[in-house]
Amino acid sequence: MGTLYIDRKGLYIKLDGNTLAFYANGEREGSAPINPLKRVIAVGNITIESPVLHRLSDEGVSMIFLSGRRLRFCGMLHGRLHNNGMLRLKQYEKALSDFCIEFSKEIVSKKLAAQSSLLQDAGGKKPELRFDLTGAVRVIEQAMAKLVSTAIDTPTLMGLEGGSSAAYFKAYTRLFPDSLKFKKRTRRPPEDPVNAMLSLCYTLLHFETVREIETIGLDPTIGFYHKFEYGRESLACDLVEIYRAVVDRFVWTLFSDRIFRDRDFAFEEERSGCYLKKESRKVFYSLYEEWAQNIRAGIVEDVRALARRLNGQDAVF
């Protein structure tokens, strides 16, 4: 059990030896051992005694806080972070060098290859959509060829990625039934069940990446493809790009296998937006954890490879 999800309004959490004890209305209702934990994801209105936070920090367990209904990221608690200041200095130096375009081309190439692979696999399963999907694949592969054959600056690279992503999402929306009303990518807020699921998965993956970046000693706000923007973890945005199509494939599976349907989502009346219902989140957490195991291993290796590379060591990214 590497991840503990706490998603129950009014829950009170205390420390009991080497376990977390959960109380509701003054009655103890369960517990969880701390030792196997790497992360705790706390959703909504819960009360946590300070000794719990102290112990989690001492044990190197990260705690991610999400809002109750929208599952919006609110903050993260770490234990003591890596003290390798020299690694950060090298990161800052590279952020002002030609390393940025070199690294960015690798990131975008991997992202486009994953998008192309997803659409080709989908075409094999949905022959009636093969024409539309093949057209998008052609656009993506033309962009990939330009990355290899021509000298690329950052604006050109962003243009190639943007054009490919537009073609990709136009095709990707065709993979879902009309009942889900998924017509385009929408974010703040997501306007349909597919966008709601994509946003939730992207959020969890993003802050797991932030955790690994900070743990190894890098600065998550200084990226190489995503430039500095106040309050944004640009380096995490860089690394997550590689896995976006992997998330998209996971979300497509959740709906194509009819694990989730439109009835699993709620629409807000006061503010527009679509969100996964609380009872359905329990199903999601289990499925996400099973899927995320291999993804986490890849993220850890990507972060370590980047650190070795910044240190001047050979590393395959």
Side-chain angles (χ1 to χ4, degrees), residues 96-257:
L96 300 174
S97 73
D98 291 339
F99 178 83
C100 288
I101 189 63
E102 175 189 346
F103 185 77
S104 298
K105 285 177 65 176
E106 295 174 15
I107 291 288
V108 174
S109 294
K110 288 179 178 291
K111 176 182 179 179
L112 298 186
Q115 290 178 335
S116 176
S117 176
L118 190 160
L119 294 182
Q120 290 183 65
D121 291 346
K125 296 180 180 180
K126 290 181 171 288
E128 71 278 11
L129 298 177
R130 191 170 296 164
F131 178 81
D132 292 334
L133 300 181
T134 300
V137 169
R138 189 178 303 113
V139 172
I140 294 170
E141 292 186 342
Q142 287 173 351
M144 292 171 63
K146 290 181 180 179
L147 290 180
V148 175
S149 63
T150 59
I152 298 291
D153 56 16
T154 299
T156 303
L157 180 61
M158 295 179 69
L160 290 173
E161 187 210 358
S164 297
S165 293
Y168 166 77
F169 266 106
K170 183 177 180 180
Y172 182 69
T173 59
R174 298 291 307 279
L175 303 181
F176 297 84
D178 293 340
S179 60
L180 295 173
K181 300 179 180 180
F182 177 46
K183 303 300 181 184
K184 62 180 180 178
R185 179 76 179 108
T186 57
R187 295 172 178 82
R188 301 180 183 89
E191 297 177 356
D192 56 77
V194 179
N195 272 301
M197 189 65 78
L198 288 171
S199 292
L200 176 55
C201 291
Y202 288 155
T203 295
L204 292 173
L205 196 62
H206 177 87
F207 288 103
E208 290 196 38
T209 305
V210 172
R211 174 187 183 273
E212 298 303 331
I213 290 170
E214 293 185 335
T215 297
I216 205 168
L218 291 168
D219 185 339
T221 68
I222 304 300
F224 303 108
Y225 181 46
H226 293 81
K227 300 304 180 184
F228 177 79
E229 182 177 306
Y230 188 83
R232 182 176 72 180
E233 301 87 357
S234 295
L235 182 56
C237 293
D238 285 356
L239 297 177
V240 167
E241 290 295 328
I242 302 171
Y243 296 95
R244 284 190 177 274
V246 184
V247 172
D248 300 343
R249 187 185 292 268
F250 173 60
V251 170
W252 175 41
T253 300
L254 293 178
F255 286 101
S256 63
D257 290 348

Side-chain angles (χ1 to χ4, degrees), residues 38-49:
K38 291 186 177 180
R39 65 194 66 78
V40 176
I41 298 176
V43 179
N45 182 18
I46 61 175
T47 302
I48 307 172
E49 290 190 345

